[in-house]
Amino acid sequence: MDVLALEAKKADAVEPEKKAAPRPKPKAPKKAKRIVYFEVEIVDLKTKEKLLLLDKVEPTATVLDIKALFHKSYPKWYPARQSLRLDPKAKCLRDEDILQTLPVGTTASFYFSDLGPQLTWGTVFLAECAGPLIIYLMFYFRLPFIYSPKYDFTSSKHWIVHLACICHSFHYIKRILETLFVHRISHGTMPLRNIFKNCGYYWSTAAWMAYYINHPLYTTPYYGQQQVNAGLYIFLFCQIGNFSIHVALRNLKTPGSKTKKIPYPTKNPFTWIFWLVSCPNYTYEVGSWIGFTVMTQCVPVAFFTLVAFIQMTVWAKGKHRSYLKEFRDYPTLRSSILPFIL
């Protein structure tokens, strides 16, 4: 028995030892991505003089970021006053354009031009609307030095004159309130010099039409009350439509966002014209002035309506082209301002 026990011990001693489980090798740390910085040179568009060299600009920097850096070196040229482009004859770059997406190498040259003093679009819109509102009322109340002294502070005997004043005032008060509470203006500013051009046109045409409508010798429309009523219905219908479109466009944009979307009709029947027209706000605006022309039967109003239609057609066509260019699935049935025509 002792011999067997000894042999068993020897066998146990000969049995190989179990190997320990191998430890997993630690993963090598990931190498940080190498950021390729840009070198941005800003050159004066007219003189070709080098104004600033920005070193180590991040590739994700926007044009607005570059404008802010430029503003630090030249405080008088705040970002809204700057125009930057890649070529002297190219279009201005948008503030949201990203540096690494532009057709430039790691060394980029931007051509700078001064846009001049700027005003916010909201300020310009308010000035454009407040002027005609006040000027028209001056003629309506027949302030001195406008008509013959014997008519100072008198009122017209024609009820259409009073109705025209109510409609004209309503239109511009509506526009002021929309500017303050409805519109989300995508463009930040416009040159200060433009306010004189814009206000000069709106204010002078308002004075021109107000002079004749409120004139003591004003004659009522040829077809009488039926013509006035027809013009009034057109005016009111288009005013409601115009407001409905502005609300629909506001709801299309989120505050602070510049992302563009295709406008579509909503549950509001006044927005159903979106099926046929890209810019129905202009369609309704022109319709309002057509109604006002019919209602007052006044040549200056007709002239203003014609010029407004031409100008808004230009704006509508530009907006329509922009939609077609930006959205591949844009509805092909739509026209710019007039269904199936224009």
Side-chain angles (χ1 to χ4, degrees):
M1 291 295 291
D2 292 339
V3 175
L4 294 174
L6 184 61
E7 290 296 333
K9 286 182 181 180
K10 287 182 180 180
D12 292 339
V14 175
E15 185 177 352
E17 296 181 0
K18 293 182 180 180
K19 294 183 179 179
R23 293 182 181 180
K25 293 182 179 180
K27 294 182 180 179
K30 292 183 178 180
K31 294 182 179 179
K33 291 184 178 179
R34 184 170 173 267
I35 300 176
V36 179
Y37 290 97
F38 283 68
E39 186 178 87
V40 176
E41 180 185 53
I42 299 179
V43 180
D44 188 280
L45 179 64
K46 294 180 179 179
T47 64
K48 302 300 184 291
E49 177 188 356
K50 184 189 292 185
L51 299 176
L52 183 66
L53 180 64
L54 299 172
D55 192 18
K56 290 188 176 181
V57 180
E58 293 187 359
T60 56
T62 63
V63 172
L64 183 60
D65 295 332
I66 295 172
K67 287 182 178 181
L69 294 172
F70 184 68
H71 175 52
K72 289 182 180 180
S73 298
Y74 295 90
K76 67 176 181 177
W77 289 324
Y78 46 89
R81 189 168 176 165
Q82 301 174 34
S83 168
L84 296 179
R85 59 193 78 192
L86 296 176
D87 185 83
K89 296 181 180 179
K91 291 183 179 180
C92 298
L93 296 170
R94 297 177 301 174
D95 286 346
E96 58 269 23
D97 287 338
I98 300 174
L99 184 58
Q100 64 183 358
T101 63
L102 297 175
V104 295
T106 53
T107 301
S109 294
F110 289 86
Y111 292 88
F112 161 80
S113 61
D114 181 15
L115 297 176
Q118 301 288 301
L119 284 175
T120 63
W121 278 83
T123 302
V124 176
F125 287 158
L126 291 174
E128 288 177 357
C129 299
L133 175 64
I134 296 170
I135 290 171
Y136 194 99
L137 292 175
M138 291 171 60
F139 284 87
Y140 174 74
F141 290 112
R142 294 178 177 173
L143 298 185
F145 308 108
I146 296 178
Y147 302 113
S148 177
K150 65 179 180 179
Y151 296 114
D152 290 351
F153 298 110
T154 60
S155 60
S156 175
K157 61 182 179 181
H158 303 300
W159 67 275
I160 174 57
V161 173
H162 306 298
L163 179 62
C165 180
I166 293 172
C167 290
H168 188 275
S169 300
F170 172 81
H171 173 73
Y172 282 103
I173 291 173
K174 166 183 162 294
R175 288 188 59 178
I176 290 172
L177 293 176
E178 286 177 339
T179 300
L180 293 174
F181 303 110
V182 177
H183 293 316
R184 285 180 178 150
I185 303 170
S186 56
H187 299 286
T189 61
M190 71 182 302
L192 174 63
R193 60 181 179 273
N194 285 12
I195 195 173
F196 300 104
K197 177 182 67 177
N198 293 15
C199 290
Y201 170 72
Y202 283 107
W203 294 12
S204 61
T205 51
W208 188 26
M209 66 176 72
Y211 176 83
Y212 285 98
I213 295 174
N214 297 286
H215 198 283
L217 301 179
Y218 169 77
T219 55
T220 57
Y222 183 79
Y223 293 102
Q225 187 170 351
Q226 290 183 342
Q227 180 176 339
V228 173
N229 289 343
L232 177 62
Y233 296 149
I234 295 172
F235 176 83
L236 292 176
F237 178 86
C238 291
Q239 286 289 288
I240 297 172
N242 181 263
F243 175 74
S244 300
I245 296 301
H246 286 161
V247 171
L249 292 175
R250 170 191 167 82
N251 294 336
L252 199 65
K253 298 179 181 178
T254 55
S257 174
K258 293 188 177 181
T259 303
K260 294 182 180 180
K261 300 178 183 178
I262 300 176
Y264 285 104
T266 65
K267 294 180 180 180
N268 184 343
F270 286 96
T271 66
W272 294 352
I273 192 175
F274 266 126
W275 292 119
L276 303 175
V277 172
S278 291
C279 303
N281 51 324
Y282 296 146
T283 309
Y284 282 125
E285 181 75 9
V286 173
S288 295
W289 286 108
I290 290 175
F292 196 70
T293 302
V294 172
M295 183 171 59
T296 59
Q297 194 174 290
C298 183
V299 173
V301 179
F303 176 81
F304 177 83
T305 303
L306 177 62
V307 174
F309 172 67
I310 294 171
Q311 179 60 73
M312 282 186 267
T313 299
V314 174
W315 291 337
K317 282 190 171 183
K319 189 71 174 177
H320 184 70
R321 285 194 298 268
S322 177
Y323 280 139
L324 291 173
K325 183 178 180 181
E326 191 158 356
F327 303 105
R328 293 182 179 179
D329 57 341
Y330 191 74
T332 56
L333 187 62
R334 293 186 187 181
S335 301
S336 299
I337 188 170
L338 297 179
F340 309 112
I341 300 175
L342 193 63

